[in-house]
Each structure stands twice: as structure tokens, then as C-alpha cells.
Amino acid sequence: MEKNLMEDYKNIWSGRFDGDEALHHRVFQRISFEKNISPKDFVLHGFAVDEGVRRNKGRVGAKDAPDIIRKNMSNFPVVFPDFILRDFGNVYCANQNLENAQQELADKVTGILGKGGKSVVLGGGHEVTFAHYSGIKKAFPNQKIGIINLDAHFDNREPEIGVGASSGTGFWQIAQEGQIYSLHIGIQRNSNTLKLFDTAHRYGMKYILADELFFENLPSVYQRIDELFAEVDVMYLTVCMDVFNASIAPGVSALAYNGLFADTVFTHFFRHILKNEKLVAMDVAEVNPVYDIGERTARLAASLVNEWFMHHYRES
């Protein structure tokens, strides 16, 4: 990272200073821009790209989200004395060349995972999925990679001729590369055509409808999650912020009026995912600052990432 760019990021990573003692520290005091990676380090990239959203005829603006999410992560208290978050900057999309941007992120992710680090990506549009997965696959070429997708949509559209890949094609693209091991949680019937459900069935993409996420059904949800973890060697978690109700996540590319709330039910199964040692990568996508209210959606996305930090160290 160039020196002037590092200074820009230092301005983003700022917050309430309560003292130099470890007990007072917040996340912004534990940011490192050093490129050396130790096993189990969290390494962050921003995917400042929403070309896939544009191609998918969605509401653009998500490319501006990574730095706003960073800002909302800054003030979280550090709960473990050896916590460090390495920030390796943003990936951008030049000349609407989505494929190059995806490849750039994939290469960076491969490098992180190859050194034993944990990959964290702040989107950006949900075209981040194919990029992030591609990097994981290259790092673990002989292992089964599972994907948990918290999303109102399957994102398994076939690319349009003359348009190419988009924010809605990631899982279709992944399925073309061989057996796909995915569980899509929060799927909305009013957000997916019958064709998309058929595609999910055809490729073996498992799913849990938003309607199935209630307290009495948590044992079944846990079982479905555990079955996927047992089937794979490493896991990747991707969170599309449009899985949430519009009242708590208004700043997204595609609103869901009846989406999930960040309530006790969500917290239970989300933390259950985070605690599994097979989880090596996570991203949050589709935060759109243009439509956000008081950075509400960005704050929620930041909180979800911070949950992984807390639960990973707690289980280590």
C-alpha cells in the first residue's frame, strides 16, 4: 500500500481513544498495514466494485461501501488481547472490466489463505462471490469448498448474451466448475422466479426459505448447517445485506420488505456458523450508501464481520 494511501486509511480507521492499555483498545487501534501474514490473522480487502450490479440492472452505489463499513467497524471494542486486523486496501474496477477486478481479488485471497490467514472482504456488489470463491478454490484446489449464502436471492442466473457475468450470476458460474456445495439461507419466494428455483434444484443448491427461520425451527436450521459443514473441508460465508428487512437495512441494491431481522433467531444460527473452525473466508455485500439511512446498513454489515472476529478468538 502506497504511503499516501496508507495515510488515507489511517484517517478512516479512527475512533474514541480511551487509553493505550489493552483493556481500553478498540478495533482502530489494532489495524496493521504490514503485508506479513501469520496463521489465523484476519486480512481485509475492500471490493469497491458494483459493475455487476449495473449489468444486473440494479441500483448502483455499492462500490462506495467498503470505506464506510471500515469506519463503522473502527469503534468496536477489542475483546481479545492478541487481536490484529490487517488491512490490504481496496480492489477497484477500471473501465467496467468486472472480470479483471474479480481476478485481482481472487489472486489476493489466494495469497492470504495460502499463508494460513483468514480472508475478510467488504463489498461492493454481490459479484464479489465469484471472485472470493475463485481465490479460495485456487488456495485449496483439492478440497471440498462449502458456501453459505445469506441472501434473499439465489444469484444463480445464467449470464445474458452480450452482458456477461453480473451480481446475479455467481452461483451459476461456480456450478459450471464442478460439484457445488452451497446452502442459501433467507431465500424469498417473491424474489426468485421458478426458473431460479429450478436451477437451484438442478445443481443441488440447498436452501432454507426466509419463512422457515423462526425459533421453533432452529434445530432443523442447525442440522442443515451442520450437514454442509460435515460434507466439506473448508467453508466460505457470504452475506448479501438484502437478506435483511428494509427497516434495518434500507441501504441495499434490492430491498426486501419482509426480510430477516437481526433478532435472537438470526443471532443463534449466525453465531453457530461463525464458531466452526472450517470457516476461512467471509464477505458482506450490497451495502449501498446512496440509499442508506444514517449508515444503518453499513453499521449492521460491520457488526456481522465483528461477530466473526469475536467468535473466532473465543473458540481458538
Side-chain angles (χ1 to χ4, degrees):
M1 188 180 297
E2 297 177 1
K3 184 176 180 180
N4 61 336
L5 185 58
M6 186 185 299
E7 291 302 318
D8 289 341
Y9 278 92
K10 285 182 178 178
N11 292 331
I12 293 170
W13 289 111
S14 61
R16 179 187 174 97
F17 180 78
D18 290 325
D20 285 320
E21 294 183 18
L23 290 175
H24 296 303
H25 278 191
R26 298 174 187 270
V27 170
F28 78 90
Q29 293 169 275
R30 300 297 186 87
I31 299 300
S32 171
F33 301 104
E34 297 295 327
K35 294 296 185 179
N36 55 306
I37 302 172
S38 301
K40 295 189 177 181
D41 277 356
F42 285 101
V43 183
L44 182 152
H45 282 99
F47 189 66
V49 179
D50 60 7
E51 169 61 16
V53 177
R54 185 193 69 80
R55 294 183 185 183
N56 202 32
K57 303 178 179 65
R59 305 192 299 179
V60 297
K63 63 181 175 57
D64 298 319
D67 289 353
I68 296 175
I69 300 174
R70 281 183 174 94
K71 185 182 76 172
N72 279 276
M73 291 170 63
S74 295
N75 254 334
F76 289 126
V78 172
V79 295
F80 294 94
D82 53 350
F83 174 78
I84 294 176
L85 175 60
R86 301 192 184 279
D87 189 346
F88 284 10
N90 286 343
V91 171
Y92 297 95
C93 183
N95 303 315
Q96 298 185 334
N97 193 328
L98 172 61
E99 290 72 21
N100 276 2
Q102 289 176 315
Q103 187 60 56
E104 181 181 351
L105 179 64
D107 291 342
K108 292 177 183 295
V109 168
T110 300
I112 292 166
L113 297 176
K115 295 178 180 178
K118 304 285 187 182
S119 176
V120 180
V121 181
L122 310 178
H126 216 183
E127 56 265 40
V128 69
T129 299
F130 184 66
H132 210 165
Y133 174 84
S134 297
I136 299 167
K137 183 179 180 182
K138 188 174 179 181
F140 301 104
N142 300 315
Q143 299 194 52
K144 294 180 181 178
I145 301 165
I147 314 171
I148 293 179
N149 177 35
L150 303 186
D151 199 342
H153 307 89
F154 281 114
D155 286 347
N156 60 4
R157 295 176 181 274
E158 188 171 346
E160 293 182 41
I161 296 175
V163 176
S166 74
S167 61
T169 63
F171 285 92
W172 184 90
Q173 292 173 270
I174 292 169
Q176 305 316 299
E177 299 187 353
Q179 176 70 43
I180 185 170
Y181 303 90
S182 64
L183 177 62
H184 305 251
I185 303 176
I187 292 294
Q188 297 277 359
R189 288 199 179 276
N190 63 2
S191 298
N192 299 272
T193 63
L194 291 177
K195 171 65 175 177
L196 300 180
F197 275 96
D198 180 68
T199 300
H201 293 152
R202 185 154 45 93
Y203 287 110
M205 301 173 189
K206 301 177 176 68
Y207 60 90
I208 300 174
L209 297 173
D211 293 344
E212 299 177 81
L213 297 171
F214 51 91
F215 190 80
E216 291 78 8
N217 200 37
L218 271 177
S220 174
V221 174
Y222 274 54
Q223 181 181 348
R224 301 284 298 281
I225 292 170
D226 290 343
E227 286 172 353
L228 181 61
F229 268 110
E231 192 176 9
V232 302
D233 301 304
V234 295
M235 186 69 76
Y236 157 43
L237 170 63
T238 180
V239 184
C240 183
M241 296 304 293
D242 68 23
V243 75
F244 293 104
N245 188 280
S247 64
I248 65 169
V252 294
S253 297
L255 289 170
Y257 81 93
N258 60 344
L260 307 184
F261 286 93
D263 57 7
T264 304
V265 174
F266 175 83
T267 301
H268 272 292
F269 77 76
F270 184 66
R271 289 177 175 173
H272 186 69
I273 296 167
L274 299 181
K275 288 187 289 186
N276 196 294
E277 62 182 14
K278 291 183 180 180
L279 185 63
V280 300
M282 175 184 177
D283 58 51
V284 288
E286 300 283 352
V287 173
N288 191 328
V290 176
Y291 301 99
D292 211 357
I293 300 172
E295 299 184 358
R296 190 182 303 172
T297 314
R299 178 71 175 181
L300 176 56
S303 298
L304 298 178
V305 174
N306 193 59
E307 285 281 337
W308 189 23
F309 299 158
M310 292 192 296
H311 284 82
H312 171 75
Y313 275 86
R314 185 172 294 129
E315 297 301 313
S316 297

